[in-house]
């Protein structure tokens, strides 16, 4: 019996290995994605339908960098997709991306959203903003990130971990704007104002405002839209209704933006298809789809935002190049440790 | 011959097992003139399985800048303190629940006992992270419980009343204790089942009360099994990332991830992981030293029927409550919440993707379980046949993979496989001008290898603890009657330790079904499992979509639980 089950095991394993291994034949592109499947799938399906190129994906949130390093020149991956520029930078720093010059990408994506030498390209923009309680925070009471440090908000601010890429990127932008020392003072003051230890995701922070646990939350823009229009879990509409989105620093450098983005790997066997995929993701149709689906800001100028996003009005964004912000990613992580923003 | 302190049966962690009688040593059947196939094979297997851990240790030798100074001056103390608190909390929690219920259902008579025998194992089917998602959903401010309280008492805001916060270290201890106590229950119960009732009766005859017999006789006798169970539970706790992250409890494991991912410092992460490994090995050593002089095994293979002390009405009620509560909180409530969500979301979530996830999970779990059990039994038996310091040490080392957080272990798998793949590819290119690409890394091969490395400790521990109860006289008799070592294993040992082996296989099966961090990192293209799907949705706080795959993990986990309890009950001859 033991022998039989072993034979079975071996046979299954061989079968599965064969099925799961990806071919490198023409007509395919292999993607390592930090973005979750339910967000990415619709685009990839559209791309497959338009071009006939099959997209194979590994969805992973951690470890992609080490996996790429270990796989080396034989890596089956062509493209890496991330939700944050610091991770793109880490892959670029490991010298794994190849420069891509494509007239289409050059035309679609403004320079501030492109990595050095065309190593990576931002594909959608997500701004990190404040959500103020409609009941308990009067309009105009808070207008900047710097205001978060004001002692009047003691015990009133909710946010997720300072180590999460979204907050880390915000801290990195504070370092870029004020220098490390000032940014650390700011972070310490913000931590002193927390209503609870950092926990949950951005959505959970708005919910906490709704529940009265805090008065101000820090979160990405699209969560507001996703909650406001949530038909499956209508209680989220109440959460959204209890807050007012505040786009910070409109009289100054503008609201902080982070980006989802992608780059083509040096090891890419399907380089042409990889570039086609990037071009597709920067095209009007994909940019608009993304806006409709996840309410992010299109990176390509002139592409209409989703109706929900339009309703928030014209917004001024920080024009600092994303690569400058990602340069501060590690100092920001250390700063978060020192400030106790765990 | 000089007394060797570490001989055959004394191997395992986490299997924590008894020693063999002294007489067994030096009985050598081995013919040293021939190449010793058992020794060579088992040493090779142990080495192979050790590769990921060795990789991590090697990685930790690279220079990592000032990361330690930074951590030491900022967050390290918090990480260490939280980890120790979790350790103590989960240790106490699992022992309290596991030993109490194990004793009650094995030795006492009360209504529902037969049901509790297997029902108490059910929480094993619920991964801690899924329980954490559900518990938060139920217990937070907007959850049904607090909502009902507010309606009842007319409270409005959070400031109007106090309610315990589940997302705390206490909450995490509760989640782990409720989902991991079955390890202790399982092993404690199987130890109680195998204990000679005569010993207990002697104790009673000598005037000890039932309770005192329990503490003075049964508990010390079951100690190796209990310790093994707690060790499993604690290592699962160390490995957890989902629950502590969701509850924002920063532990040593969080630190490892943070150094790796926020600082892109894999070397620093490997150093932290090695430190953790050192700590675990120290604990194991301490435990083993503490029972150095003790011997645990039956003096007779004749087992009398278990006594089944009838309990008075009051005590029976208390016993029912003690058994019901963990099942209720650890299984019934979370499963029914998930079932409710899954029922409502069924039309959105059921489809071909779900079916392929389920297929992947089942295949991975069964293949890994078969391999892990095969290797576990082989290694354990080889250690019995060839007691020796070198093999013992090697085997012990090969199972410490269990103590390394899964994600770090995944690193230890990717790196050597990537190297091997590239090496083979290079050879093939130069010899045949043909590229083989990545054969091992990035396929289910790497995934299954990682599962086996991680869960070998489970099957090895169970096999060793099973074998240790088989007296050496059996081996000797079989060998004198002309059986080969392999024949003896097949004809004598395997039937005797069948229960342990089945239990081991099922534990590995369920563990693989639930496994998350390694699967996330090592999975091939277009590959999902029920666990990764659950995590994808739940980490976005979309319990709605996560419910069907989550419930499936739980349901599949039940099947082995049922088989396991039958095997357990049948493991006591004549019972």
């Amino acid at each position: 019996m033991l022998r039989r089950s072993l034979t079975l095991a071996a046979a299954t394993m061989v079968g599965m290995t064969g099925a799961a291994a990806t071919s490198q034949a023409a007509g395919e592109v292999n993607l390592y994605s930090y973005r979750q499947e339910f967000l990415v799938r619709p685009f990839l399906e559209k791309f497959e339908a338009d071009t006939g190129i099959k997209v194979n994906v590994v969805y992973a949130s951690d470890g992609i960098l080490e996996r790429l390093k270990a796989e080396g020149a034989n890596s089956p991956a062509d493209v890496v997709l991330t939700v944050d520029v610091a991770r793109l930078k880490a892959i670029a720093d490991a010298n794994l991306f190849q420069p891509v010059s494509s007239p289409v990408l050059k035309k679609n994506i403004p320079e501030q959203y492109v990595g050095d030498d065309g190593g990576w390209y931002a594909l959608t923009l997500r701004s990190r903003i404040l959500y103020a309680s409609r009941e308990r925070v009067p309009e105009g009471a808070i207008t900047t990130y710097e205001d978060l440090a004001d002692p009047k908000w003691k015990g009133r601010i909710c946010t997720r971990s300072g180590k999460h890429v979204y907050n880390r990127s915000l801290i990195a932008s504070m370092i870029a704007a004020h220098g490390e020392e000032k940014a650390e003072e700011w972070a310490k003051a913000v931590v002193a104002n927390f209503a609870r230890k950092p926990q949950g995701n951005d959505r959970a922070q708005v919910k906490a405002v709704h529940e009265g646990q805090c008065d101000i939350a820090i979160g990405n823009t699209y969560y507001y839209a996703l909650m406001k229009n949530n038909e499956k879990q209508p209680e989220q509409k109440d959460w959204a209704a209890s807050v007012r989105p505040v786009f910070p620093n409109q009289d100054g450098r503008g609201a902080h933006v982070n980006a989802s983005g992608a780059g083509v790997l040096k090891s890419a066997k399907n380089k042409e298809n990889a570039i086609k995929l990037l071009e597709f993701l920067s095209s009007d149709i994909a940019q608009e789809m993304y806006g409709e689906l996840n309410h992010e800001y299109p990176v390509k100028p002139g592409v209409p935002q989703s109706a929900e996003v339009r309703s928030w009005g014209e917004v001024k964004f920080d024009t600092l190049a994303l690569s400058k912000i990602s340069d501060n990613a590690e100092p920001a992580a250390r700063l978060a440790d020192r400030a106790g923003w765990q | 011959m000089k007394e060797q302190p570490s001989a055959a049966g004394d191997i395992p962690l986490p299997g924590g097992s008894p020693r063999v009688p002294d007489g067994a040593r030096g009985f050598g059947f081995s013919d040293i003139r021939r190449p010793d196939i058992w020794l060579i094979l088992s040493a090779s297997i142990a080495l192979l399985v050790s590769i990921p851990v060795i990789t991590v240790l090697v990685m930790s030798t690279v220079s990592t800048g000032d990361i330690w100074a930074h951590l030491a001056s900022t967050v390290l103390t918090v990480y260490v303190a939280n980890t120790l608190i979790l350790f103590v909390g989960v240790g106490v929690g699992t022992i309290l629940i596991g030993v109490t219920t194990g004793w009650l259902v094995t030795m006492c008579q009360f209504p529902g006992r037969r049901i509790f025998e297997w029902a108490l194992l059910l929480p094993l089917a619920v991964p801690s992270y899924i329980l954490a998602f559900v518990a938060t959903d139920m217990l937070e401010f907007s959850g049904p419980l607090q909502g009902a309280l507010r309606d009842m008492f007319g409270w409005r805001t959070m400031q109007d009343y106090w309610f315990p916060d589940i997302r705390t270290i206490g909450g995490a201890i509760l989640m782990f204790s409720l989902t991991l106590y079955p390890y202790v229950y399982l092993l404690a119960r199987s130890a109680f089942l195998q204990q000679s009732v005569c010993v207990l009766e002697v104790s009673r005859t000598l005037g000890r009360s039932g309770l005192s017999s329990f503490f003075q006789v049964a508990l010390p006798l079951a100690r190796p099994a209990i310790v093994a169970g707690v060790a499993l539970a604690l290592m699962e706790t160390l490995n957890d990332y989902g629950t502590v992250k969701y509850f924002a409890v920063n532990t040593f494991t969080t630190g490892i991830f943070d150094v790796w991912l926020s600082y892109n410092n894999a070397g620093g992460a490997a150093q932290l992981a090695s430190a953790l490994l050192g700590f675990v090995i120290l604990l194991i050593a301490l435990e083993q030293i503490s029972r150095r002089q003790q011997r645990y095994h039956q003096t007779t293979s004749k087992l009398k029927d278990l006594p089944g002390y009838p309990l008075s009405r009051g005590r029976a009620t208390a016993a029912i409550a003690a058994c019901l509560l963990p099942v209720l909180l650890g299984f019934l409530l979370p499963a029914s919440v998930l079932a409710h969500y899954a029922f409502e979301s069924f039309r959105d979530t059921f489809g071909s993707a779900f079916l392929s996830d389920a297929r992947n999970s089942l295949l991975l779990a069964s293949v890994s379980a078969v391999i892990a059990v095969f290797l576990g039994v082989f290694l354990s038996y080889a250690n019995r046949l060839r007691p020796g310091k070198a093999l013992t040490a090697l085997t012990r080392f090969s199972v410490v993979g269990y103590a390394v957080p899964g994600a770090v272990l995944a690193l230890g798998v990717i790196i050597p496989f990537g190297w091997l793949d590239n090496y083979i590819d290079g050879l093939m290119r130069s010899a045949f001008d043909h590229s083989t690409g990545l054969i091992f890394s990035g396929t289910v091969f790497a995934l299954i290898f990682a599962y086996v490395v991680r869960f070998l400790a489970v099957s090895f521990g169970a096999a060793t603890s099973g074998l240790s109860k088989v007296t050496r006289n059996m081996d000797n008799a079989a060998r004198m009657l002309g059986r080969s070592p392999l024949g003896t294993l097949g004809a004598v040992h395997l039937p005797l330790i069948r229960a342990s082996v089945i239990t081991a296989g099922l534990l590995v099966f369920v563990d693989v079904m639930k496994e998350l961090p390694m699967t996330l990192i090592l999975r091939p293209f277009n590959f999902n499992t029920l666990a990764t799907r659950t995590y994808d949705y739940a980490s976005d706080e979309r319990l709605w979509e996560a419910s069907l795959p989550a419930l499936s993990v739980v349901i599949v986990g039940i099947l082995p639980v049922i088989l396991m309890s039958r095997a357990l009950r049948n493991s006591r001859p004549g019972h």
Side-chain angles (χ1 to χ4, degrees):
Chain A
M1 193 203 113
L2 192 61
R3 185 172 300 161
R4 225 181 63 210
S5 39
L6 274 179
T7 319
L8 186 72
T12 320
M13 228 163 80
V14 170
M16 287 172 78
T17 311
T22 54
S23 83
Q24 283 145 17
E28 289 197 317
V29 58
N30 297 323
L31 179 65
Y32 281 179
S33 172
Y34 281 95
R35 293 222 84 162
Q36 289 160 315
E37 179 164 14
F38 48 83
L39 280 174
V40 179
R41 199 73 243 169
F43 299 90
L44 303 183
E45 276 167 9
K46 172 89 178 116
F47 175 72
E48 287 180 335
D50 286 1
T51 60
I53 298 170
K54 184 169 181 341
V55 188
N56 301 303
V57 196
V58 173
Y59 296 97
S61 48
D62 301 325
I64 286 181
L65 178 62
E66 266 67 32
R67 186 160 166 177
L68 287 171
K69 279 187 193 163
E71 290 171 344
N74 273 317
S75 175
D78 302 307
V79 176
V80 177
L81 188 64
T82 81
V83 289
D84 156 73
V85 286
R87 283 184 167 146
L88 288 172
K89 178 186 153 60
I91 297 168
D93 284 352
N95 211 9
L96 295 168
F97 281 140
Q98 59 175 308
V100 167
S101 63
S102 134
V104 178
L105 290 173
K106 199 174 168 64
K107 185 170 106 328
N108 287 351
I109 303 176
E111 214 170 313
Q112 83 178 95
Y113 301 127
V114 179
D116 299 337
D117 304 326
W120 49 260
Y121 291 86
L123 294 169
T124 61
L125 302 176
R126 46 252 310 276
S127 181
R128 196 139 187 82
I129 64 166
L130 310 178
Y131 291 102
S133 162
R134 286 186 191 274
E135 266 181 36
R136 302 180 296 276
V137 179
E139 206 152 354
I142 184 161
T143 57
T144 64
Y145 298 113
E146 287 75 5
D147 287 346
L148 288 168
D150 192 319
K152 75 174 170 181
W153 303 118
K154 190 159 188 60
R156 299 172 72 182
I157 298 173
C158 279
T159 185
R160 74 198 304 168
S161 162
K163 292 317 215 29
H164 189 274
V165 287
Y166 300 160
N167 275 341
R168 196 169 49 148
S169 169
L170 174 63
I171 296 171
S173 83
M174 291 299 287
I175 295 177
H178 299 289
E180 207 165 326
E181 206 173 305
K182 283 265 163 51
E184 185 169 339
E185 276 171 32
W186 170 81
K188 282 184 173 150
V190 175
V191 170
N193 285 342
F194 283 167
R196 58 177 193 183
K197 68 172 177 171
Q199 57 185 274
N201 64 5
D202 284 0
R203 214 187 285 255
Q205 313 309 323
V206 173
K207 184 180 175 189
V209 173
H210 171 69
E211 290 166 356
Q213 209 169 3
C214 43
D215 298 336
I216 293 169
I218 307 172
N220 282 358
T221 39
Y222 48 84
Y223 282 110
Y224 182 64
L226 294 176
M227 289 185 287
K228 196 174 160 189
N229 302 299
N230 198 322
E231 298 302 330
K232 280 184 191 158
Q233 281 161 292
E235 67 272 17
Q236 295 200 0
K237 293 180 178 180
D238 299 338
W239 309 350
S242 65
V243 294
R244 179 176 53 248
V246 177
F247 286 82
N249 299 64
Q250 292 303 293
D251 296 331
R253 64 182 185 277
H256 165 60
V257 274
N258 200 338
S260 72
V264 177
L265 292 159
K266 279 189 171 163
S267 58
K269 312 283 187 299
N270 307 296
K271 186 180 169 188
E272 273 178 35
N273 290 348
I275 295 175
K276 273 189 199 151
L277 177 63
L278 257 59
E279 289 174 349
F280 168 78
L281 291 172
S282 73
S283 70
D284 285 38
I285 174 99
Q287 292 280 304
E288 210 178 324
M289 257 176 90
Y290 224 105
E292 288 303 324
L293 202 78
N294 207 39
H295 303 283
E296 292 182 45
Y297 285 88
V299 70
K300 184 181 176 192
V303 172
Q305 301 160 350
S306 78
E308 174 62 38
V309 172
R310 269 201 306 278
S311 75
W312 305 339
E314 276 294 306
V315 180
K316 180 178 176 187
F317 290 130
D318 194 343
T319 53
L320 187 68
L322 288 182
S323 60
K324 292 274 179 290
I325 289 174
S326 63
D327 285 345
N328 290 325
E330 182 168 337
R334 289 180 177 241
L335 196 157
D337 275 341
R338 290 197 299 272
W341 188 341
Q342 287 175 17
Chain B
M1 198 173 123
K2 203 173 163 246
E3 170 82 3
Q4 291 187 344
S6 57
D10 172 29
I11 297 133
L13 187 86
S17 94
R19 284 152 188 281
V20 296
D22 287 329
R25 250 178 253 132
F27 220 101
F29 281 102
S30 68
D31 184 350
I32 42 170
R33 278 162 306 181
R34 274 182 309 175
D36 190 333
I37 195 77
W38 284 93
L39 205 58
I40 294 170
L41 265 181
S42 49
S44 318
I45 293 171
L47 266 179
L48 191 68
V49 174
S50 306
I51 287 174
V53 174
I54 294 172
T55 307
V56 172
L57 292 177
V58 171
M59 270 170 70
S60 68
T61 58
V62 302
S63 159
T64 51
D66 63 340
I67 194 75
W68 276 92
H70 167 73
L71 291 178
S73 67
T74 52
V75 287
L76 198 61
T77 31
V78 178
Y79 291 168
V80 171
N82 277 346
T83 305
L84 290 177
I85 295 171
L86 266 188
F87 248 68
V88 174
V90 176
V92 171
T94 51
I95 289 177
L96 270 183
I97 306 175
V99 174
T100 314
T101 54
W103 178 258
L104 285 174
V105 300
T106 311
M107 296 295 180
C108 303
Q109 284 291 353
F110 57 93
R113 182 184 71 88
R114 285 259 147 171
I115 296 171
F116 285 125
E117 268 181 12
W118 56 268
L120 277 161
L121 287 168
L122 289 173
L124 194 61
V126 183
S128 314
Y129 59 90
I130 289 184
L131 183 64
F133 294 146
V134 175
T136 312
D137 196 62
M138 299 297 292
L139 297 176
E140 65 192 354
F141 181 82
S142 55
L145 191 63
Q146 291 202 48
L149 287 173
R150 282 195 299 275
D151 283 350
M152 211 183 303
F153 297 103
W155 299 323
R156 281 191 60 248
T157 67
M158 245 169 197
Q159 282 68 45
D160 294 346
Y161 63 103
W162 178 87
F163 194 84
D165 184 4
I166 188 73
R167 286 182 157 187
T168 54
I169 196 161
I173 289 173
L174 190 64
M175 299 300 107
F176 288 127
S177 299
L178 283 172
T179 50
L180 300 174
Y181 82 83
Y183 286 115
V184 180
Y185 166 80
L186 195 63
L187 292 171
R189 179 162 147 75
S190 77
F192 292 145
L193 273 172
Q194 318 240 339
Q195 273 173 16
S196 166
V197 177
C198 305
V199 181
L200 284 173
E201 283 179 349
V202 168
S203 157
R204 297 295 293 268
T205 322
L206 291 174
R208 296 270 186 197
S209 68
L211 206 60
S212 153
S213 300
F214 168 71
F215 280 111
Q216 308 279 333
V217 179
L219 204 55
L221 275 175
R223 192 176 109 181
I226 294 170
V227 168
V230 174
L232 287 172
L234 291 183
M235 281 189 235
E236 289 283 348
T237 307
L238 273 187
N239 175 54
D240 171 82
Y241 186 51
T243 312
V244 291
K245 192 172 177 189
Y246 195 65
F247 278 7
V249 175
N250 287 307
T251 62
F252 206 78
T253 312
T254 327
I256 295 175
F257 274 80
D258 194 42
V259 169
W260 175 18
L261 301 169
S262 295
Y263 296 108
N264 285 312
N265 191 335
Q271 285 174 3
L272 286 173
S274 305
L276 190 65
L277 198 59
F279 172 71
V280 171
I281 291 172
L282 188 74
L283 277 188
I284 296 164
L286 282 179
E287 197 284 324
Q288 297 204 335
I289 290 167
S290 79
R291 56 186 169 87
R292 176 134 284 182
Q293 297 311 319
Q294 303 174 35
R295 300 279 182 276
Y296 306 86
H297 69 101
Q298 303 299 342
T299 47
T300 164
S301 55
K302 278 185 224 138
L303 294 178
K304 218 181 130 189
D305 274 353
L306 290 169
Y309 306 123
L311 296 182
S312 66
R313 173 175 290 211
R315 287 185 172 191
T317 315
I320 293 171
C323 293
L324 184 61
L325 205 60
V327 183
L328 190 69
L329 298 178
F331 181 80
L332 291 176
L333 276 175
S336 48
V337 170
L338 286 177
H340 171 73
Y341 277 128
F343 181 75
E344 297 210 326
S345 66
F346 192 74
R347 278 219 310 240
D348 295 335
T349 49
F350 186 82
S352 59
F354 168 77
L355 291 174
S356 97
D357 296 349
R359 196 199 59 153
N360 289 341
S361 284
L362 290 173
L363 273 176
L364 284 177
S366 32
V367 172
S368 313
V370 168
I371 297 175
V373 164
F374 177 76
L375 295 182
V377 171
F378 186 89
L379 282 181
S380 168
Y381 189 63
N383 270 287
R384 184 181 175 98
L385 284 179
R386 301 284 180 272
K389 268 188 179 164
L391 184 59
T392 305
L394 196 60
T395 316
R396 258 189 210 177
F397 187 72
S398 74
V399 296
V400 295
Y402 199 68
V404 182
V408 178
L409 205 60
L411 269 187
V413 171
I414 286 183
I415 290 171
F417 272 144
W419 178 85
L420 181 69
D421 280 338
N422 282 306
Y423 183 74
I424 295 176
D425 184 77
L427 277 185
M428 295 297 280
R429 270 174 207 258
S430 58
F432 305 105
D433 202 22
H434 170 78
S435 168
T436 49
L438 303 181
I439 318 167
F440 299 115
S441 50
T443 62
V444 286
F445 186 91
L447 210 45
I448 289 173
F449 179 77
Y451 291 142
V452 170
V453 168
R454 177 146 172 71
F455 298 121
L456 183 61
V458 177
S459 63
F460 176 76
T464 306
S465 112
L467 278 180
S468 68
K469 292 187 196 87
V470 181
T471 161
R472 293 268 169 173
N473 299 331
M474 295 268 212
D475 304 41
N476 301 343
R479 298 299 304 281
M480 281 192 237
L481 292 171
R483 294 266 187 181
S484 68
L486 198 62
T488 312
L489 177 65
V492 179
H493 293 101
L494 278 183
L496 281 172
I497 64 167
R498 207 185 68 195
S500 308
V501 170
I502 294 175
T503 307
L506 294 172
L507 280 176
V508 176
F509 183 90
V510 179
D511 272 331
V512 174
M513 286 288 298
K514 300 189 289 190
E515 208 287 330
L516 197 54
M518 295 194 306
T519 319
L520 282 175
I521 293 173
L522 292 172
R523 59 181 151 168
F525 280 105
N526 308 327
F527 195 89
N528 269 300
T529 64
L530 292 171
T532 62
R533 190 78 72 176
T534 301
Y535 177 79
D536 279 351
Y537 283 118
S539 63
D540 199 35
E541 314 223 344
R542 293 163 70 159
L543 200 55
W544 177 264
E545 285 98 335
S547 56
L548 183 65
L551 184 68
S552 310
V553 171
V554 172
I555 288 175
V556 173
I558 296 176
L559 300 174
V561 163
I562 293 169
L563 290 174
M564 215 165 0
S565 68
R566 291 176 84 185
L568 246 183
R569 189 185 297 161
N570 297 336
S571 71
R572 187 181 175 85
H575 183 58

